[in-house]
Amino acid sequence: MKNIRKKIIAFLLALGCLAFCVPFNSKVYASWSPASEWKENGYPTEDWTTDQFTYHQIGFINDPKNNQLLLYVDICPDSKTNRNSHGYEGGYRQLQPSAYNINVGNAIYSVNLDVNPWNIQNGKSGYAGIGVWDPQTNQYKATKDNLCHYYADSDGRQSAIIKIPYNMFNRDDLNGSTKMTMQNPNLGGNKKITISGASTGPYIPAIIAFVLASIAAISYYHKRKLVRHEHQ
């Protein structure tokens, strides 16, 4: 019994240490799907919907280390929420390539993806450029850099991770503490995601795991010490 407890404690400690190290070694871009990338980093998402059958998973974070914003869109996650009472799945599966409106201060910018959703083949991924329209100056800044990583699974559910460099906004006041709001009326109606300060999403679960493992270890050795004391 004691050996089993020791193994459990050792496993929890190892798990905690591993989880604590993951965020520091995580890669935002890799060869797997956008959904896997986003979840691997532990970044937060919100559920948006505009109808009764389909919800979308949307993520938006600030990445001041790389002077960029990260936008995540999963149009039709494989979930029971996307199925009606008869078990049939409905709703849209194609990416929404436009109307990602980002509010910075008193200015609103619109981010568009240089992607035709109907040309994305099932089971395939690819990269494309993006564009940012500034209504205040009526200027559109586009880039052919591979800032949008898109993907469609075998059932045609499309998702994407979009990198938006600070310099796409033509302003010099963007940093880790800048307050920004993102919405897309075509995906979430009036729903918004507001970020302020550097994102801590990937570090939170790691810290929790490490703390829980530490508490378990301390509790075990404390109980063991009490048992020894009672036998003396």
Side-chain angles (χ1 to χ4, degrees):
M1 188 66 178
K2 290 183 179 180
N3 290 333
I4 294 177
R5 289 180 179 178
K6 288 181 179 179
K7 291 181 180 179
I8 292 175
I9 296 301
F11 174 76
L12 288 173
L13 284 172
L15 181 63
C17 292
L18 178 62
F20 189 73
C21 294
V22 165
F24 297 95
N25 296 321
S26 60
K27 296 181 180 178
V28 175
Y29 280 81
S31 60
W32 56 88
S33 71
S36 298
E37 293 178 25
W38 199 263
K39 292 176 182 178
E40 175 73 14
N41 284 279
Y43 295 143
T45 61
E46 291 187 7
D47 292 344
W48 287 10
T49 184
T50 50
D51 59 54
Q52 60 180 327
F53 296 124
T54 304
Y55 80 93
H56 321 290
Q57 287 186 341
I58 309 296
F60 182 56
I61 66 172
N62 194 354
D63 180 20
K65 180 179 178 181
N66 296 299
N67 295 317
Q68 64 183 2
L69 305 177
L70 292 177
L71 173 62
Y72 168 68
V73 182
D74 193 344
I75 290 295
C76 188
D78 186 11
S79 169
K80 293 181 180 179
T81 308
N82 282 324
R83 302 179 188 277
N84 60 23
S85 59
H86 300 288
Y88 297 109
E89 187 173 9
Y92 298 100
R93 299 190 179 195
Q94 284 72 35
L95 278 172
Q96 172 58 246
S98 61
Y100 296 98
N101 300 318
I102 298 178
N103 183 287
V104 184
N106 296 322
I108 298 178
Y109 302 86
S110 183
V111 177
N112 303 309
L113 315 180
D114 189 17
V115 174
N116 184 342
W118 302 103
N119 290 338
I120 302 177
Q121 299 179 16
N122 292 359
K124 301 292 185 179
S125 65
Y127 294 86
I130 67 171
V132 176
W133 179 51
D134 182 354
Q136 290 76 217
T137 61
N138 199 29
Q139 293 181 340
Y140 187 78
K141 187 173 185 179
T143 174
K144 293 297 183 180
D145 295 337
N146 294 328
L147 300 180
C148 172
H149 177 198
Y150 59 85
Y151 172 76
D153 67 11
S154 58
D155 292 321
R157 300 183 185 90
Q158 297 181 3
S159 59
I161 288 182
I162 302 97
K163 297 193 298 185
I164 312 171
Y166 288 168
N167 59 20
M168 294 287 288
F169 297 95
N170 290 322
R171 53 193 301 165
D172 56 8
D173 59 342
L174 298 183
N175 52 55
S177 60
T178 304
K179 181 178 179 180
M180 287 169 275
T181 299
M182 190 281 297
Q183 70 175 144
N184 189 321
N186 297 321
L187 298 179
N190 295 323
K191 296 205 68 172
K192 301 177 180 179
I193 295 179
T194 299
I195 56 177
S196 180
S199 300
T200 57
Y203 298 93
I204 293 176
I207 292 174
I208 291 176
F210 183 77
V211 170
L212 290 176
S214 299
I215 292 175
I218 294 173
S219 176
Y220 169 73
Y221 286 111
H222 179 68
K223 289 181 179 179
R224 186 177 178 184
K225 185 176 181 180
L226 288 176
V227 171
R228 286 181 175 179
H229 181 73
E230 290 176 356
H231 286 287
Q232 289 177 352

